[in-house]
Amino acid sequence: MDEAVQRRRFLGLTAAAAALGLTATVTGCGVLEGESGDVTLRLVAADYDLTGGDTTKKYWADLVTAFEAKHPGVKVEVQIESWDDVDRKVAEMVEADEAPDVAQIGAYADYAAAGELYAADEILSIPVQANFLAPLVAAGETKRTQYGLPFVASTRPLFYNKALFEEAGAEAPTTWDELAAAAEKLKDKGVTTPFALPLGPEEAQAEALMWLLSGGGGWTDATDHYAVDSDANVRTFDWLKKNLVGKGLTGPVAPGKLNRKAAFAAFASGEVGMLNGHPSLVKEAAKKGVEIGQVPLPGIDGKPKSSMGVADWIMGFKQNGHRKEIGEFLNFVFSDENVLKFAGDNDLLPVTVSASTRMETDPEYANLREFLKGLPGAQLPPVGKTSWATVSENVKQNIGKAVTPGGRPSEVLGTIGRAATAAENAE
C-alpha cells in the first residue's frame, strides 16, 4: 500500500485461495462455458481486510450478485488472496497458461509489456475511461497506452500527534525548517521519536519519493527517464541526513532499519511526534486515543508542487478472450456506488472524478478529505516501467544508507541511479 497499502500498502504486497462459492468450484482459471452457453469469468483479487475478517469477500460477493442480476449471460467466480500471495499467484497462473480473466493486484506493467492485457479502450466504455483521475491514468500507461486500471488510491499527508505538539509548544509545519524546529521541540520534551523516517526495506521507495517530491525532484525527470541522483534529490537527502537524522530527531532506530509497520505502530502508541501517514493509520490511532493532525508534507520553502500518490490496479487478461464480458464487468465495477463502497470501507480513495466529488461532500468520509486534496495533483511511482520492480527493490535495500553517519547521499543515489538506468535500457 502501499506504494501498497502501500502499499500501502503498495498500498503494500498468508492465506490460501478462497473461492466465494458464487458458482460451482472449478479446476484451473479462465472462462468456463456451461450447457446453457453462459460465460463464467474468473476474478482474482487482493484481500484488504487488515483484521482477518471477510469484508473484501463480502464486497465482491455483493457486487457479483448485483452484476449477475443485470447480466444473466455472465457469471463471475471470485478468488481472494492475501497481499502476501496475490501477485505471485497470478504470475503463476499466467505462467501456466491459466490466466484469470480479471486480476486486482499490485502491478500490471510486466503483463502489459508481454501483450497479455487488454488496453483500457478495448474493454471500457468511453464515459468510464474518461472518469479516471488524470494522475492515475498516466500511471496506468505503458508506452502511452493505458493497460492498468486504477482500483483504489491513497496519498500521504504529514500526520502529527496533537497532544505531543501542544505539550511541546510546536506548530504544524509548512516548510522543512519549521518541521525540523518542531522536531527539536518534541525532542526537548522527551518524545522518543520526534519524526519517524521509515527507510527500511518494507516501503522505503514510497517514503523516499515523498521527500524527493517535496524537494522538487522525483524518481524520474520530465522525459520519464530515471533521475535518481539529480541535484534536487541529492539536496533532499543531504538535508535529511544533516537536519533530522544527524541531530537525533528520527528516534532510536536507524531509518534504514525502520519499517513503516513499526513506525505506524509507534505513532499509534503515542511514541512518535510526526510521520508521513496513510489512511489506514487514522482509525488505528483513534482506537488508542491518539488525536491526529494532518497537513500536506512541507516543501523546502512551503507547499511542494506535487505530492505522492499510490494506486492498486485491476486489469483484463486476453488469454481466454471474452473481451465483451470482461468489459461489461469492469464497467460495472467502476460505478460510483461500487467505487465509493470499497474505498470508504477500507479508508482509501476513489479513483474516479465523480466518486471523488461525492466523497468530498459526504460527511461520512470527512476523515479522508485531507487525503483527497492531494490526489488530483499527485505523482505516482513509475509503475508503468517494467524495470520499476527491480529499481524499487534496489531502493528498498539501499536508500537508508544515504542517511547513515558515514553515508554520502550523492554516492548512494548515484549507485542506485546507474543501476536504474541500466535496467531501463534493458527493457
Side-chain angles (χ1 to χ4, degrees):
M1 356 114 198
D2 340 224
E3 138 230 358
V5 238
Q6 235 132 320
R7 327 323 340 236
R8 125 114 86 150
R9 218 126 57 305
F10 339 44
L11 79 359
L13 319 142
T14 305
L20 292 184
L22 298 168
T23 57
T25 301
V26 299
T27 301
C29 303
V31 178
L32 309 173
E33 302 218 16
E35 293 179 3
S36 66
D38 288 351
V39 171
T40 299
L41 304 177
R42 172 66 64 84
L43 162 70
V44 179
D47 189 355
Y48 285 75
D49 196 315
L50 300 177
T51 64
D54 62 356
T55 58
T56 299
K57 292 180 183 179
K58 186 177 186 307
Y59 170 82
W60 285 113
D62 291 345
L63 184 150
V64 166
T65 298
F67 171 78
E68 290 178 350
K70 294 183 177 182
H71 300 82
V74 185
K75 304 263 183 211
V76 182
E77 285 194 343
V78 183
Q79 177 177 327
I80 304 296
E81 296 284 354
S82 76
W83 270 114
D84 291 333
D85 297 331
V86 68
D87 288 282
R88 174 179 55 82
K89 293 261 188 178
V90 170
E92 290 172 351
M93 292 174 185
V94 174
E95 181 68 21
D97 291 327
E98 296 180 342
D101 299 286
V102 180
Q104 189 278 296
I105 53 180
Y108 69 87
D110 284 347
Y111 302 123
E116 293 164 336
L117 301 180
Y118 288 114
D121 60 8
E122 293 180 293
I123 49 178
L124 297 182
S125 69
I126 292 174
V128 168
Q129 190 178 359
N131 198 23
F132 291 128
L133 291 162
L136 305 181
V137 173
E141 292 180 345
T142 293
K143 296 183 178 178
R144 300 187 179 181
T145 298
Q146 184 184 2
Y147 295 95
L149 313 179
F151 182 65
V152 285
S154 65
T155 56
R156 304 288 196 272
L158 177 72
F159 282 7
Y160 63 94
N161 183 313
K162 284 189 174 182
L164 294 181
F165 262 60
E166 185 175 346
E167 292 170 9
E171 299 289 336
T174 61
T175 67
W176 284 3
D177 286 345
E178 290 177 5
L179 186 150
E184 290 278 11
K185 290 182 178 180
L186 292 164
K187 181 182 179 182
D188 291 343
K189 281 293 183 179
V191 175
T192 305
T193 303
F195 189 96
L197 185 64
L199 294 175
E202 180 186 350
E203 207 190 24
Q205 84 289 355
E207 181 71 22
L209 180 56
M210 292 179 237
W211 282 99
L212 298 182
L213 292 171
S214 70
W219 292 127
T220 55
D221 59 21
T223 64
D224 198 36
H225 291 101
Y226 287 113
V228 177
D229 58 343
S230 68
D231 290 345
N233 290 350
V234 172
R235 282 196 302 269
T236 293
F237 269 85
D238 279 337
W239 188 91
L240 287 171
K241 180 182 178 183
K242 177 182 177 182
N243 295 283
L244 291 186
V245 182
K247 293 184 178 179
L249 302 177
T250 53
V253 179
K257 297 187 180 300
L258 179 65
N259 281 325
R260 187 185 72 165
K261 183 176 180 180
F264 280 12
F267 184 87
S269 298
E271 301 168 17
V272 173
M274 294 176 280
L275 51 61
N276 295 328
H278 181 279
S280 65
L281 183 55
V282 175
K283 286 184 179 178
E284 191 61 31
K287 288 177 186 176
K288 299 189 177 182
V290 173
E291 188 177 0
I292 294 175
Q294 297 181 42
V295 294
L297 178 62
I300 299 175
D301 299 313
K303 185 178 179 179
K305 293 180 180 179
S306 61
S307 59
M308 188 191 75
V310 176
D312 297 328
W313 306 95
I314 193 166
M315 61 212 71
F317 280 85
K318 290 180 176 180
Q319 180 180 307
N320 307 299
H322 297 270
R323 175 178 65 85
K324 176 177 176 290
E325 290 80 9
I326 292 172
E328 289 174 350
F329 179 68
L330 289 173
N331 283 325
F332 187 79
V333 166
F334 287 114
S335 68
D336 278 0
E337 290 73 17
N338 289 327
V339 170
L340 274 172
K341 172 67 175 170
F342 194 88
D345 285 354
N346 292 281
D347 291 320
L348 293 166
L349 303 181
V351 296
T352 63
V353 174
S354 55
S356 295
T357 300
R358 287 176 59 173
M359 181 175 275
E360 285 174 357
T361 58
D362 191 332
E364 180 181 353
Y365 305 113
N367 64 324
L368 293 173
R369 285 178 187 160
E370 190 63 45
F371 298 95
L372 275 172
K373 289 179 184 177
L375 190 54
Q379 183 173 323
L380 278 74
V383 292
K385 293 179 178 291
T386 57
S387 59
W388 175 240
T390 299
V391 174
S392 175
E393 187 60 30
N394 192 358
V395 171
K396 290 179 183 181
Q397 299 300 326
N398 293 297
I399 196 70
K401 298 173 184 177
V403 295
T404 57
R408 291 173 59 98
S410 60
E411 292 181 359
V412 173
L413 291 171
T415 300
I416 295 172
R418 287 188 292 275
T421 298
E424 182 175 40
N425 291 338
E427 286 184 341

